[in-house]
Amino acid sequence: MLFKEVLKEQQRIRIYIEKARYGKLKTIIEGIDEKEFNLDEIAKKLKAKLACGGTAKNGRIELQGDHREKVKRLLAELGFSEDLIEVE
């Protein structure tokens, strides 16, 4: 378990916005190692907290809407190092 905590603190995570179809925005979270962490599980927690839709695919998490700052805070609560989370 300790190993996972250390790994979490070393993940360089990038959070940014992408335009989806019809001008809708989606928040993209990249940089979480999918071999070590269950992206579906993290996506599920984020979607529940943010009350939005989304998915985990291609090694990244996509959430509907602009949730950059909230996602950073929530990932920090999940144990990821806030210093290594880059919001664009």
Side-chain angles (χ1 to χ4, degrees):
M1 194 65 213
L2 185 66
F3 180 64
K4 271 255 199 274
E5 295 305 313
V6 171
L7 263 176
K8 272 186 180 179
E9 289 174 10
Q10 294 173 343
Q11 298 290 306
R12 292 197 73 75
I13 300 171
R14 189 167 154 246
I15 302 170
Y16 59 96
I17 289 297
E18 221 174 60
K19 260 204 167 42
R21 278 195 300 203
Y22 311 116
K24 289 184 163 54
L25 295 175
K26 58 184 177 182
T27 304
I28 308 295
I29 303 150
E30 279 180 351
I32 300 174
D33 186 352
E34 60 185 324
K35 289 179 193 72
E36 299 297 336
F37 302 102
N38 183 341
L39 289 185
D40 288 325
E41 200 57 41
I42 295 171
K44 193 171 161 184
K45 287 179 183 167
L46 291 173
K47 291 189 311 190
K49 292 260 191 206
L50 298 167
C52 69
T55 184
K57 64 181 181 191
N58 306 332
R60 64 188 206 168
I61 297 173
E62 300 178 6
L63 300 172
Q64 294 170 350
D66 180 354
H67 301 289
R68 289 174 291 191
E69 289 306 320
K70 289 183 198 142
V71 166
K72 179 175 181 171
R73 194 180 66 243
L74 291 170
L75 287 175
E77 284 174 19
L78 288 175
F80 291 96
S81 171
E82 208 164 337
D83 301 335
L84 295 178
I85 299 174
E86 182 186 331
V87 178
E88 295 173 16

